[in-house]
Amino acid sequence: MAATAAIPQFPHDFLWGVSTSAHQIEGAADERGASVWDAFTTVPGNVKDGSTAAVACDHYHRYREDVALIRELGVGAYRFSVSWPRVLPTGSGSVHTAGLDFYDRLVDELCAAGIRPVPTLFHWDTPLVVQEAGGWLKRDTAERFADYAAVVAARLGDRVTRWITLNEPAEHTLLGHALGQHAPGERLLFDALPVAHHQLLAHGLAVRALRAAGASDIGIANSHGPTWPASADAEDTAAADFYDILLNRLFADPLLLGQYPDGIGELMPSPDLAADLRTISAPLDWYGINFYQPTKVGAPLPEGTAAEFSGVTLPPELPFSPREIDGYPVTDFGWPVVPDALTELLTAFRDRYGDGLPPLVITENGCSYEGLDDQERIDYLEGHLRALHRALEAGVDVRGYFVWSLLDNFEWAEGYRRRFGLVHVDYDTLERTPKASYDWLREALRAQRP
Ligand code: GBH
């Protein structure tokens, strides 16, 4: 296949992988405790196609077939998430053994296929019982999360060496608790900030629990992307700086520098913020970045004009407004395709965090397009892998790259109408069919091997 020369040569020990998350693929909802997403999706209007993830890809019953697809693809690692309510239906206390058994079988299957398991402990599916007790607005949730981390590590830690604590706490704060577009559907705007602090604390306490269980290879997966000011005017650059703090620094600064951006620490609920920040900034073995697209941001729009973000109409009191990025192709989702923004992001990240920065891993990158003959996805992946390689050449220490996603799956508030998979899923028959991008990636990875 001519496509084999499509990407430059990466270091021989570079880790290639694919990503998924529990709620988006597992199904088997009646074989686990309820999560905030089960409650959210049953409210009409919350999910655009009216669907739920009760069955999704039925990965819970078809994981062997999915592991075979990963093996055939030739990647070295699989990033999946563990469902907290499948392991602990009430959030803490008694373990649902059958739920934990599932991850045990999955890890065995992966190891037998020579694929490294990389579990994420939290990808947005908070147990409903924990939510009813106050959820991420409560400090106690961080403690319960650490107990859950210890339960999972005790069972899988003999075979799992690499762990991810949280997925995108920024999106979970912003979309789930500030804007209400994701579960649990809270619209708290800036009153959502405690959700950020408690997730960071949960991360720090989970790192401690994982280390106590012997784990030595721990990271986190955060969403990042360059923020482009709408113009050079002072109002626009100030608005862009503000947005950049929320997306790119609110989580990374405490994790990597041990401090919140100026003015934010005072807003966080904590009996002892300095002690919390020490917990949060415990050294990581690597730092995961989920990259999709840059964001252009300007001053708030004039009164009466509604700004949109990710399909939601933003409340007028926000001190910024996202703007269209023109001049680039867009995915089905309307997100601009700007591979150079990945190089820009990675070099800026290295410059900002310097010596405090552990090795980086791209824990998600991908796009939504219809169809089996998905040349646009091939172009997207090829462009981003070239951009990633340029960052390596510029001296940024990136050790791995995971495609989002292995399978088409339940795309949150969009339901099943956005398809991110390398493998197509027919939601009537649950049949899996590799797309052209799957074949392309398999050949590209084959060409990487000596
Ligand atoms: C990830 O979040 C999630 O981890 C994953 O579960 C999900 O399936 C996947 O990405 C695909 O969505 O409208 O142009 O302003 C993605 C985070 C946040 C990236 C919103 C795009 C808005 C783009 N996303 N952002 S735009």
Side-chain angles (χ1 to χ4, degrees):
M1 214 188 230
T4 50
I7 59 170
Q9 192 69 35
F10 281 74
H12 71 276
D13 55 353
F14 194 81
L15 189 64
W16 299 96
V18 285
S19 289
T20 62
S21 92
H23 191 78
Q24 293 178 273
I25 65 165
E26 283 181 2
D30 53 359
E31 297 178 59
R32 58 163 170 75
S35 83
V36 290
W37 272 94
D38 298 310
F40 185 78
T41 51
T42 50
V43 177
N46 279 348
V47 177
K48 298 212 174 93
D49 63 2
S51 62
T52 74
V55 177
C57 308
D58 196 33
H59 169 77
Y60 187 81
H61 298 113
R62 293 165 200 258
Y63 68 95
R64 285 202 176 83
E65 187 182 348
D66 295 336
V67 171
L69 284 163
I70 302 168
R71 190 194 55 225
E72 231 345 77
L73 181 59
V75 292
Y78 174 47
R79 175 181 173 226
F80 58 98
S81 83
V82 177
S83 157
W84 185 358
R86 195 179 287 292
V87 173
L88 292 161
T90 56
S92 46
S94 82
V95 173
H96 176 51
T97 313
L100 203 45
D101 289 349
F102 166 69
Y103 298 106
D104 197 82
R105 290 195 299 277
L106 174 62
V107 164
D108 276 346
E109 189 78 10
L110 289 164
C111 292
I115 302 157
R116 189 158 166 189
V118 185
T120 301
L121 289 169
F122 180 67
H123 199 124
W124 306 347
D125 47 356
T126 312
L128 194 55
V129 179
V130 172
Q131 181 61 28
E132 284 161 357
W136 290 104
L137 286 167
K138 287 273 159 47
R139 187 177 177 89
D140 180 53
T141 297
E143 317 263 352
R144 295 173 84 169
F145 180 75
D147 294 345
Y148 151 66
V151 167
V152 178
R155 182 70 184 271
L156 305 181
D158 56 337
R159 285 148 293 155
V160 171
T161 55
R162 177 169 288 206
W163 297 88
I164 297 175
T165 55
L166 311 179
N167 180 70
E168 297 189 353
E171 305 299 336
H172 192 53
T173 306
L174 181 71
L175 299 177
H177 295 80
L179 301 176
Q181 197 206 10
H182 280 182
E186 303 280 357
R187 293 168 196 264
L188 301 169
L189 296 182
F190 289 103
D191 291 337
L193 277 175
V195 170
H197 186 67
H198 294 144
Q199 285 181 93
L200 282 165
L201 186 63
H203 159 84
L205 294 172
V207 168
R208 196 178 286 166
L210 291 170
R211 297 251 185 251
S216 58
D217 195 0
I218 307 173
I220 185 169
N222 273 320
S223 50
H224 289 288
T227 309
W228 292 349
S231 80
D233 295 350
E235 303 80 57
D236 284 337
T237 56
D241 286 348
F242 185 86
Y243 178 85
D244 193 58
I245 288 173
L246 290 183
L247 177 68
N248 289 319
R249 292 179 47 203
L250 178 59
F251 295 87
D253 280 15
L255 289 163
L256 299 171
L257 304 175
Q259 60 187 44
Y260 278 110
D262 278 352
I264 292 189
E266 298 87 288
L267 306 173
M268 295 305 194
S270 170
D272 185 345
L273 191 67
D276 283 1
L277 284 166
R278 280 194 297 279
T279 303
I280 291 165
S281 61
L284 290 173
D285 301 293
W286 54 278
Y287 185 96
I289 289 181
N290 295 353
F291 174 76
Y292 288 89
Q293 88 301 316
T295 309
K296 187 184 274 190
V297 174
L301 295 175
E303 217 165 319
T305 349
E308 290 241 331
F309 174 75
S310 213
V312 233
T313 300
L314 292 179
E317 55 267 45
L318 291 182
F320 59 84
S321 63
R323 307 291 176 83
E324 289 292 324
I325 292 180
D326 299 320
Y328 293 93
V330 292
T331 71
D332 263 14
F333 219 141
W335 302 353
V337 179
V338 191
D340 284 349
L342 177 58
T343 322
E344 179 187 335
L345 170 75
L346 292 171
T347 50
F349 215 77
R350 186 262 323 266
D351 294 346
R352 173 163 178 79
Y353 296 104
D355 293 342
L357 189 62
L360 300 174
V361 174
I362 304 300
T363 33
E364 285 182 26
N365 179 234
C367 52
S368 142
Y369 289 108
E370 288 293 314
L372 289 171
D373 190 10
D374 56 344
Q375 184 60 43
E376 300 102 323
R377 180 171 288 102
I378 295 173
D379 294 343
Y380 182 99
L381 296 175
E382 179 181 336
H384 284 79
L385 287 169
R386 288 183 177 279
L388 174 58
H389 196 267
R390 286 195 293 278
L392 263 70
E393 284 172 339
V396 186
D397 185 7
V398 186
R399 306 278 179 94
Y401 175 90
F402 289 67
V403 176
W404 182 272
S405 178
L406 172 67
L407 301 172
D408 289 342
N409 60 49
F410 177 73
E411 178 53 33
W412 308 116
E414 298 287 320
Y416 297 101
R417 30 177 246 156
R418 303 290 177 213
R419 293 179 175 272
F420 279 85
L422 296 168
V423 175
H424 178 272
V425 176
D426 178 323
Y427 293 113
D428 294 322
T429 62
L430 295 169
E431 191 186 343
R432 277 87 162 127
T433 310
K435 302 179 188 178
S437 57
Y438 174 101
D439 294 333
W440 173 84
L441 185 61
R442 190 188 54 215
E443 294 310 314
L445 294 181
R446 192 168 284 167
Q448 292 287 315
R449 290 192 283 272

